[in-house]
Amino acid sequence: MVYIIVVYDMRADRTRLMLNFLRKYLTHVQNSVFEGAVTEGDLETIRNHTQSLLKPDESAIIYRIGSDKYVERTVIGDDPTDDSQFL
Amino acid sequence: MVYIIVVYDMRADRTRLMLNFLRKYLTHVQNSVFEGAVTEGDLETIRNHTQSLLKPDESAIIYRIGSDKYVERTVIGDDPTDDSQFL
């Protein structure tokens, strides 16, 4: 398993497509940020499908981190852990 | 030095405050994402000032990674490395 963080920048009216897809694999931690541990196979699927969802001028960055033990996460302000607020 | 990734979620008309601040320390890699190597002192400043810029319902996440050698970064779609497009 690898730990990944995915951030994306899409037109607001199209983000639901990305949300619905990434939610199958990862935890939604901020408006356009997901993270979690996935298999190499899942990572490949995420890369390919993310690419297919993006239009010109939209982008995503996938940070792949060896393990979550290398990452320390500090949330400042409102912690949007409740996914429902993004629906 | 530690490697950090900062993602924030703010009202669109207020993001310039965060942009102008984080730009002093980090590289702007996506609409609301910055990353780079900083000192522990800079990290403390970034934490405190980020907190002071956020209003209720806004948030930021700071990922602190031991070193950039633990992170592999894949950009999908339009690579917004040119900061000018965010101005």
Side-chain angles (χ1 to χ4, degrees):
Chain A
M1 304 285 274
V2 289
Y3 199 80
I4 65 171
I5 302 165
V6 182
V7 296
Y8 54 88
D9 188 18
M10 292 176 81
R11 255 181 37 204
D13 60 343
R14 297 183 0 88
T15 54
R16 176 172 293 270
L17 293 166
M18 193 66 93
L19 281 173
N20 289 342
F21 169 66
L22 291 178
R23 196 172 264 158
K24 292 179 198 163
Y25 299 91
L26 300 164
T27 304
H28 192 194
V29 294
Q30 201 186 71
N31 204 4
S32 54
V33 185
F34 279 80
E35 58 177 278
V38 294
T39 62
E40 291 285 348
D42 287 340
L43 176 53
E44 193 57 30
T45 305
I46 290 168
R47 268 204 202 101
N48 294 339
H49 196 67
T50 296
Q51 184 151 37
S52 73
L53 289 177
L54 296 172
K55 300 263 185 199
D57 295 326
E58 295 179 340
S59 69
I61 302 173
I62 300 177
Y63 294 98
R64 175 204 168 124
I65 300 160
S67 155
D68 62 354
K69 74 181 174 201
Y70 298 129
V71 197
E72 184 192 303
R73 188 174 177 288
T74 307
V75 178
I76 298 171
D78 228 46
D79 189 349
T81 45
D82 180 7
D83 239 26
S84 61
Q85 72 178 282
F86 300 116
L87 293 179
Chain B
M1 304 285 274
V2 289
Y3 199 81
I4 65 172
I5 301 165
V6 182
V7 295
Y8 54 88
D9 189 17
M10 292 176 80
R11 255 180 37 204
D13 59 344
R14 295 181 5 87
T15 54
R16 174 171 293 270
L17 293 166
M18 193 66 94
L19 281 173
N20 289 344
F21 169 66
L22 291 178
R23 196 173 265 159
K24 293 179 199 164
Y25 300 91
L26 300 165
T27 304
H28 193 192
V29 295
Q30 201 186 71
N31 204 3
S32 53
V33 185
F34 279 79
E35 57 177 278
V38 294
T39 62
E40 291 285 348
D42 287 341
L43 176 53
E44 193 56 32
T45 305
I46 290 167
R47 268 205 202 102
N48 294 339
H49 196 69
T50 297
Q51 184 152 37
S52 73
L53 289 177
L54 296 172
K55 300 263 186 198
D57 296 326
E58 295 179 339
S59 68
I61 303 174
I62 300 177
Y63 294 98
R64 175 204 168 124
I65 299 159
S67 155
D68 62 354
K69 75 181 175 201
Y70 298 129
V71 196
E72 183 191 303
R73 187 175 178 288
T74 309
V75 179
I76 299 170
D78 228 45
D79 189 348
T81 45
D82 179 7
D83 239 27
S84 61
Q85 73 178 282
F86 299 117
L87 295 178

